[in-house]
Amino acid sequence: MKNLKYLLLRRVTQIGLLVLYFGANAYGWTILKGTFGSSLLFGVIPLADPYTTLQVLATGFVLGADVLLGALIITLFYMIVGGRAFCSWVCPINMVTDLANWLRRKLNLDKEEVNYRFLKRRARYWIMVLGLIVSAIVGIAAFEALSPITIMQRGIIFGFGAGISVVIAIFLFDLFGVKNGWCGHLCPLGATYSLIGKTSLIRVKHDHEACTACMECKVVCPENQVLHMINKESISVTDGECTNCGRCIDVCNDDALGFGIRSFTKK
Amino acid sequence: MANSDNNRRKFMATTLQSVGLTALGGLLWSGYCDEAKASPLVLRPPGALAEKDFLDACIKCGMCAEACYNRDSNIDKETGKQRPGTLQMAKGGDHRLVGTPFFTPRDVPCYMCDDIPCVPVCPSGALDMPSLLDKKGELDINKAQMGLAIVHKESCIAFWGLQCDACYRACPLLDEAISLEYMKNERTGKHAFLLPVVHSDVCTGCGLCEKACVTEKPAIFVLPREHSTGKAGAHYVKGWDKKDQERVGNRKAEEIETHTKRSEKAPVDYLNKEIEY
């Protein structure tokens, strides 16, 4: 029996957040109001998505102080503490793409993996910049106009409509198209959090002595290029792309992986 | 040497490819966004900036829609149940920029709450609170300009001579935003026409009249102001209005000479030389 600790914790967090947001609209709860674009925590603390904020700024509109402060709070949190944890602990699309990925493994679709040469993992950074340029040209927050993340979240809070098709499309793309296609290659929000989270303190640590090179962690990791040190050296994951999902820790049977605080002293 | 040339060629090719793909993606994306932006006539919450700026500013958080829905005054007094909120968040298939708030008066009009709950919660400034403050610095919903009601005379049964004043009675600014104009009905010789007239300087565009209208498809309906108002142009002057006359100063009509292409020709020539105006 494999350990499911972090997987379950993540699902509880993700679904719990959606329940809170849903309750804010349906029952008037005041714990967490709004959407991931911009929220109000306990009716006082503003929170805002940094990339959305940047897009609106790119359109040439200077936002209200609430949003700017909220974006700063979120940025600092992930910069100092969480890393790219938004993607695996908060984002609802993560549940869709994780399901697609799990099915890929069950259906053995990975064995026939095609080498999509045109779709590099760094494509998301291009899309991130492109989103800002398009926002500036067209004059609306460009990614928000098609973001499956907020479409899915608003769908859950306010009702889906035809927006559900976007979510299904991402599921199918990740299942039959590119492995980790959306989160790992395209999503500009993930790219933003990768950059923000580069310096964060909470890190997955690898113990080379304990590792038996079973490579289970690399199979489940959605960004397995960050696990380049497996069975090589005892260092922690430092790449911004690591989503801190902890799935590698769950599946490791040798206690070679675990969360820790980043150490800045070199060994 | 040959090898380095090859490398350079490869580098150029990949660079061009990346730039090309990015440009293609950007164009498609811009096209989509432009299309999504070109919404049909859509009514926004009170205090909303002009549509173009509003689309810039709205961060699509939905807090206005939540505030609209989650309030005591939103309880239906007759049934005691919560009625649907006025503000909806546009979703796929609504043909409006996805995630932005709007309302459809025929379904649920704006009930013009005194404290305007939807506006102060807006975090981004897309709903502009200062535009709704009166001289005392208090929120005044009557300053809202969500739209302007238009009466379609041909389908309004009051214009047929049937007695109906549903919109007039429904208007929260009764006798200010909609007044009734009395006219004699020549056909019957006795009954009077009660014709609804909307006053554009007072109408807030709440849509209560549209909701109340008894015709199959409302004969009075709210359109965004930019679509329901005309503009005469600055060169028309009301000579009988002292204030308006001041705009042109003390100039007399005889002193003003207008030079256009047409004025170079003699007026009578239009008959003989087929000059068109």
Side-chain angles (χ1 to χ4, degrees):
Chain A
M1 175 65 193
K2 275 176 182 168
N3 192 354
L4 294 172
K5 185 176 150 200
Y6 288 115
L7 184 66
L8 289 178
L9 266 178
R10 278 198 299 130
R11 294 296 175 253
V12 169
T13 317
Q14 280 166 324
I15 294 168
L17 283 171
L18 289 176
V19 169
L20 286 181
Y21 279 111
F22 177 81
N25 184 48
Y27 313 115
W29 299 348
T30 50
I31 303 170
L32 206 47
K33 273 187 167 183
T35 64
F36 292 140
S38 179
S39 326
L40 205 56
L41 182 64
F42 304 125
V44 196
I45 307 166
L47 302 173
D49 175 62
Y51 187 55
T52 311
T53 308
L54 277 181
Q55 287 171 72
V56 177
L57 288 174
T59 66
F61 183 83
V62 180
L63 291 153
D66 280 0
V67 174
L68 295 176
L69 181 62
L72 185 71
I73 292 173
I74 288 289
T75 307
L76 287 177
F77 173 77
Y78 288 110
M79 193 179 266
I80 298 168
V81 186
R84 199 187 150 191
F86 173 86
C87 295
S88 59
W89 291 79
V90 178
C91 180
I93 285 290
N94 170 264
M95 291 190 273
V96 176
T97 55
D98 271 5
L99 179 67
N101 235 321
W102 178 78
L103 270 176
R104 269 185 93 96
R105 286 198 294 273
K106 290 289 162 206
L107 300 174
N108 281 331
L109 293 173
D110 287 346
K111 294 202 169 144
E112 304 294 328
E113 196 183 348
V114 187
N115 186 12
Y116 292 92
R117 292 175 65 195
F118 65 92
L119 199 58
K120 302 253 167 62
R121 279 188 182 271
R122 65 166 184 271
R124 53 188 150 194
Y125 297 103
W126 287 85
I127 294 173
M128 186 186 84
V129 176
L130 200 60
L132 297 177
I133 296 172
V134 173
S135 298
I137 294 172
V138 185
I140 57 169
F143 180 56
E144 289 312 296
L146 43 82
S147 161
I149 301 152
T150 38
I151 283 178
M152 180 171 174
Q153 197 203 11
R154 272 196 309 269
I156 290 164
I157 303 172
F158 300 103
F160 258 110
I164 190 85
S165 57
V166 182
V167 178
I168 296 172
I170 297 242
F171 173 75
L172 294 176
F173 177 63
D174 268 31
L175 180 59
F176 298 114
V178 185
K179 187 186 180 197
N180 295 310
W182 175 255
C183 303
H185 295 74
L186 297 176
C187 180
L189 195 57
T192 315
Y193 280 112
S194 299
L195 293 178
I196 292 172
K198 254 191 159 90
T199 53
S200 74
L201 293 175
I202 295 179
R203 289 289 160 182
V204 172
K205 288 192 163 178
H206 175 56
D207 182 0
H208 172 40
E209 305 297 321
C211 179
T212 57
C214 68
M215 296 297 156
E216 288 276 317
C217 52
K218 287 216 176 186
V219 172
V220 295
C221 180
E223 300 274 352
N224 56 23
Q225 77 278 13
V226 309
L227 290 176
H228 53 79
M229 76 294 291
I230 294 300
N231 198 32
K232 291 195 185 103
E233 47 185 336
S234 293
I235 54 168
S236 45
V237 174
T238 50
D239 292 35
E241 277 104 0
C242 172
T243 65
N244 269 347
C245 67
R247 196 74 191 109
C248 56
I249 304 171
D250 279 350
V251 298
C252 183
N253 290 319
D254 311 315
D255 280 338
L257 291 160
F259 276 126
I261 302 292
R262 178 186 212 148
S263 67
F264 288 94
T265 49
K266 278 188 182 169
K267 280 174 191 167
Chain B
M1 192 66 192
N3 192 22
S4 83
D5 252 9
N6 208 2
N7 271 341
R8 191 182 301 160
R9 188 165 297 171
K10 210 173 157 189
F11 169 75
M12 297 285 272
T14 351
T15 311
L16 274 176
Q17 203 183 9
S18 308
V19 170
L21 273 174
T22 312
L24 176 72
L27 283 173
L28 286 174
W29 199 352
S30 309
Y32 167 81
C33 286
D34 232 18
E35 187 62 37
K37 211 171 105 171
S39 307
L41 313 173
V42 47
L43 297 173
R44 302 297 186 189
L49 302 173
E51 181 70 6
K52 193 184 146 292
D53 298 328
F54 178 80
L55 293 175
D56 281 0
C58 176
I59 200 161
K60 307 174 180 66
C61 65
M63 279 197 264
C64 53
E66 284 176 15
C68 176
Y69 179 74
N70 279 306
R71 55 197 336 265
D72 302 333
S73 67
N74 205 21
I75 308 289
D76 197 315
K77 280 171 194 141
E78 282 165 26
T79 60
K81 283 181 183 161
Q82 185 137 38
R83 60 186 176 206
T86 301
L87 294 178
Q88 305 291 313
M89 299 299 285
K91 39 190 181 268
D94 278 345
H95 301 291
R96 285 165 177 98
L97 180 59
V98 73
T100 53
F102 70 99
F103 71 102
T104 316
R106 192 60 162 178
D107 299 337
V108 192
C110 170
Y111 290 100
M112 309 229 320
C113 312
D114 287 332
D115 54 345
I116 327 180
C118 51
V119 173
V121 293
C122 178
S124 69
L127 304 181
D128 184 32
M129 202 154 88
S131 71
L132 296 173
L133 296 176
D134 61 13
K135 280 170 195 160
K136 281 182 266 171
E138 283 164 9
L139 280 169
D140 181 6
I141 184 64
N142 295 342
K143 295 194 79 168
Q145 298 207 315
M146 296 169 274
L148 173 62
I150 301 289
V151 180
H152 179 239
K153 288 182 192 172
E154 282 75 8
S155 56
C156 173
I157 58 170
F159 279 81
W160 295 4
L162 300 177
Q163 196 188 340
C164 174
D165 56 4
C167 58
Y168 169 75
R169 298 280 165 203
C171 181
L173 294 165
L174 184 132
D175 267 334
E176 290 178 64
I178 303 182
S179 60
L180 291 181
E181 191 182 314
Y182 304 109
M183 250 172 67
K184 193 182 171 197
N185 189 340
E186 297 295 348
R187 185 179 62 79
T188 61
K190 40 184 160 177
H191 293 108
F193 284 113
L194 304 169
L195 307 178
V197 178
V198 180
H199 301 279
S200 66
D201 48 338
V202 183
C203 177
T204 62
C206 69
L208 278 156
C209 53
E210 183 176 337
K211 174 77 177 168
C213 184
V214 298
T215 55
E216 194 175 305
K217 189 176 169 221
I220 184 166
F221 44 86
V222 178
L223 292 177
R225 272 184 175 258
E226 56 197 290
H227 296 282
S228 54
T229 49
K231 193 181 173 202
H235 55 288
Y236 292 100
V237 180
K238 295 174 197 158
W240 61 90
D241 183 338
K242 255 192 179 166
K243 238 187 167 179
D244 205 34
Q245 183 65 42
E246 279 169 16
R247 284 197 294 140
V248 285
N250 293 321
R251 287 192 293 169
K252 299 256 157 49
E254 308 89 70
E255 295 168 10
I256 300 168
E257 263 188 69
T258 311
H259 293 283
T260 64
K261 253 189 185 171
R262 176 64 189 85
S263 66
E264 285 164 13
K265 289 161 187 136
V268 289
D269 284 351
Y270 89 100
L271 286 174
N272 305 324
K273 294 184 179 170
E274 296 186 350
I275 293 168
E276 284 179 6
Y277 282 102

